[in-house]
Amino acid sequence: MLVGFGSYLPERIVTNDELSERLETSDEWIRGRTGIRQRHIVGDGETAVSMASRAAQRALDFAGIDPLEVDAVIVATSTPDQVFPATAVRVLHDLGIPNGFGFDVAAACSGFIYALSSADAFIRAGNAKCVVVIGSEVYSRILDWSDRGTAVLFGDGAGAVVIRASDDPGERGILATHLHADGATGDILYIDGAIGLPEQSGHLRMNGREVFRHAVGKLTSAVDEALQSAGLSYNDVSWLVPHQANIRIIEGVARKLQLPMERVVVTVDRHANTSAASIPLALDEAVRDGRIKQGDLVLMEALGGGLTWGSALVRL
Ligand code: COA
């Protein structure tokens, strides 16, 4: 069961107009093509670890769970502060979790779905009873700030959920997760770099049109799969909480599902694309403002570099 929700956004907000001062772009273009109005960008001292720890602490506070009860921390990130120790292991230390294990998941923008699915598997196998799943990203560090095709799309932030095994095998909890990957499409969205290869830029590179072309179809089939496996239909879905990459992709999927936008949680306008952090950030916002309530059927989907994509169906 998902019992805790938390998030953290850097204080500094960068508007489209501010970007237009440095890049040949405009608020009108960015809003029209993506729905993005602004993004949060890390300041001094804000890192993947610090944001992950803040979001996770808030999620534990929400759930009223003591760090002693946590068995594992899984962090989805493509922008860790270090290759190792894993972000998750630093978070275990920050939160004072003495007996846990932790690791990072690198599945780009689908990372949260991959991490959620992993946590669910550990719990179902009886290897953990309480897992904190976090998405934390510092994309501002890997963007080529001179490339208007990518620099305007992303932001920084972190979101977290606490998942707990339930003694009551009732209807609440993670009902289905489905994960996919296709390495043949690896060159349409990737980071040009690796540790120890200094001739590479280390920047995110993307063929936006190609990514867009794959997105709606793959996401729609991933959510179809989720509903079919649970024996449910679109009409049963209370909320769609999609990865927040582009409002046109989100609207495209909602249209195919015949879900009105009133039942879709949208944060891309204020957060931009925070990659693996976008779904838990959106979840936290909608739970705290009362839109998503206990008993609601929540459908999540994401697609990212790899390509990787997937879906998760959860009864809160
Ligand atoms: N401001 C102004 N013009 C821009 C621009 C910007 N920030 N970025 C690109 N352009 C220009 C291009 O240079 C191009 O100009 P040209 O026709 O003179 O060559 C024109 O806009 C169209 O570019 P194109 O890339 O074809 O635009 P598009 O309609 O495909 O929109 C995206 C670009 C990136 C918004 C869109 O492809 C997209 O959202 N793709 C999915 C990306 C995504 O979600 N990635 C993350 C997945 S996790």
Side-chain angles (χ1 to χ4, degrees), residues 16-17 20 25-36:
N16 293 344
D17 284 337
S20 311
T25 188
S26 64
D27 178 49
E28 194 192 353
W29 193 96
I30 301 169
R31 272 193 212 219
R33 300 284 175 122
T34 70
I36 296 166

Side-chain angles (χ1 to χ4, degrees), residues 21-97:
E21 289 166 16
R22 314 183 229 148
L23 281 171
E24 207 178 310
T25 188
S26 64
D27 178 49
E28 194 192 353
W29 193 96
I30 301 169
R31 272 193 212 219
R33 300 284 175 122
T34 70
I36 296 166
R37 288 191 279 123
Q38 61 174 50
R39 72 282 298 138
H40 292 250
I41 299 290
V42 289
D44 288 344
E46 285 172 320
T47 64
V49 170
S50 75
M51 294 195 298
S53 295
R54 294 284 289 273
Q57 186 61 59
R58 287 173 182 168
L60 287 174
D61 291 346
F62 184 105
I65 287 178
D66 190 279
L68 282 170
E69 294 175 59
V70 176
D71 300 310
V73 170
I74 307 177
V75 178
T77 185
S78 302
T79 50
D81 304 326
Q82 299 169 289
V83 174
F84 66 82
T87 315
V89 175
R90 299 270 188 208
V91 172
L92 284 165
H93 177 68
D94 277 2
L95 299 189
I97 296 169

